[in-house]
Amino acid sequence: MARIAFIGLGRMGHGMAGRYLDAGHTVAVWNRSKAKAEDLIARGARWATSPEDAAVDADAVVTMVADDDASRAVWLGATGAAKTMKAGTIAIECSTVSYDHARALGRELNGRGLIYIDCPVTGLPDAAAAGKLTLLVGADAADLERARPFLEPIGSTIRHFGAIGSGTVYKLINNLMGAIQIAGLAEGLAIAEQAGLDMQLVLEAIQGGVAASPQVLRHSKRMVARDFAGATFTASLRHKDAAYAVKLAESLLAGQPLVARAAVEAYAKAKAVMPDEDEGRMIELVSRPK
Ligand code: NAP
């Protein structure tokens, strides 16, 4: 069995780290706040005092943290994992980061003799805990083959888009399209409510209609019911992803993107008032009080 260092035990990372324990690996865990590690420690994980400590003797280091700053800190900071990783160790970044960051981090870690796998994911926290994430990989093909045994416990599907950074490109467009759909749905439902439509009928029509993506199906029910129990993806993280996507679009599509910028603006408002709440609560910003 392998030695895995797992860093970042938030909604997603906690379940992913548990999958390595379930698979029988020796797991060292670190999180900025230790409380989220307690049950994993009880299940046999070693608590590391820093990312650097977690990475000692690891065969693979996997990170799942919020954003570019957090990723930089846990890999390259004063007590970052890269300090103790030996040449040839596999570095798997699962956090959703910006394209520039993914490529810069890949260059930096490759330069230190490490094997870097750009590996953002799709799937909610329940899929993370069940090992059923889709892994969006950007990596050299031979490196992916070396990393595959370390990806299997967390993902049921691996999509290899190409070189380092390409997994992140896909992840950012995926989440940008989600941001646009959710922000548009909130406005559509708020208009229907304000116009006095029967919202159960509206829901029924949405579910059988052409605009019903899985994202719309899921959020329309929650928004109409104003049932946001158990935040799975926060307004703050959705804003971050859309903003990273817009930055990428600005470098590739002259004069664009218009719709994407509107989604970032909508999520900036949501982030300002409800950063850690479920992204679907966006509807509360556009609807009139009931
Ligand atoms: P989360 O519950 O908010 O967890 C964020 C994690 O990042 C926590 O472990 C947090 O530590 C850590 N962190 C934040 N800032 C840090 C810093 N400066 N230094 C070190 N650690 C830091 O978020 P999540 O939902 O698990 O998402 C994690 C990543 O997965 C994000 O990149 C997100 O975009 C992506 N993602 C999420 C979903 C989803 O459905 N939730 C799906 C796909 C991808 P503390 O616990 O100490 O705060």
Side-chain angles (χ1 to χ4, degrees), residues 9-12 31-33 36 64-66 70 96 123 232 240:
L9 305 172
R11 289 181 183 85
M12 297 293 286
N31 192 57
R32 187 175 55 176
S33 44
K36 292 178 190 169
M64 190 52 155
V65 292
T96 307
T232 50
K240 176 242 340 175

Side-chain angles (χ1 to χ4, degrees), residues 100-113 116 164:
D100 287 348
H101 176 78
R103 294 208 308 165
L105 184 61
R107 278 194 298 272
E108 178 64 35
L109 296 185
N110 283 164
R112 296 177 188 220
Y116 184 74
I164 290 173

Side-chain angles (χ1 to χ4, degrees), residues 57 78 101 139 152 159 163 165 199 202 208 214 232 235 245 259 261 275 279:
D57 290 331
H101 176 78
E152 274 161 5
R159 295 197 198 284
M199 293 309 290
V202 169
T232 50
V259 181
R261 283 201 194 103
E279 58 179 336

Side-chain angles (χ1 to χ4, degrees), residues 197-210:
L197 270 59
D198 173 342
M199 293 309 290
Q200 288 314 311
L201 193 55
V202 169
L203 256 188
E204 205 182 297
I206 286 176
Q207 313 228 333
V210 291

Side-chain angles (χ1 to χ4, degrees), residues 128-140:
K132 294 200 170 136
L133 295 171
T134 294
L135 310 182
L136 311 168
V137 173
D140 176 82

